[in-house]
Amino acid sequence: MAFQTFHNGINLGGWLSQYEVPAGQPLTDASLKSHFDSFITEKDIRQIAAWGFDHIRLPVNGYLLYDETARKLNESPLASIKKCIG
């Protein structure tokens, strides 16, 4: 199984879970998108790999993924997850 090849992992908390919007900024779609787009970047993922980690754990707050009012998936966090996997 694929997971048997994983040995050294790291958690990316604070990106899509356990995050805070910078002080003074309202919690809006724009501030969340700014956080999602800048908190973890491709450069960070490359650095993590250079440190010898072979996988990441990506915790995600469930409420980010689904808009109950609109009854649809939220595209912004899904796009961040897809970008990270890529």
Side-chain angles (χ1 to χ4, degrees):
M1 301 196 117
F3 68 86
Q4 293 172 323
T5 62
F6 297 148
H7 301 287
N8 298 306
I10 191 168
N11 187 48
L12 294 183
W15 182 27
L16 299 173
S17 70
Q18 304 119 5
Y19 58 84
E20 294 182 20
V21 174
Q25 279 192 14
L27 182 61
T28 64
D29 288 344
S31 63
L32 285 176
K33 182 171 181 351
S34 176
H35 171 75
F36 297 153
D37 290 348
S38 64
F39 190 79
I40 298 291
T41 65
E42 183 175 343
K43 181 179 176 183
D44 298 313
I45 300 298
R46 290 185 188 282
Q47 181 62 61
I48 290 167
W51 287 332
F53 291 100
D54 58 10
H55 68 280
I56 61 170
R57 177 179 172 266
L58 187 58
V60 179
N61 286 342
Y63 66 83
L64 289 176
L65 300 178
Y66 189 73
D67 182 337
E68 288 188 26
T69 304
R71 302 183 84 186
K72 66 175 190 164
L73 292 174
N74 289 322
E75 293 301 321
S76 184
L78 289 174
S80 296
I81 293 168
K82 289 176 186 176
K83 184 177 177 182
C84 182
I85 291 169

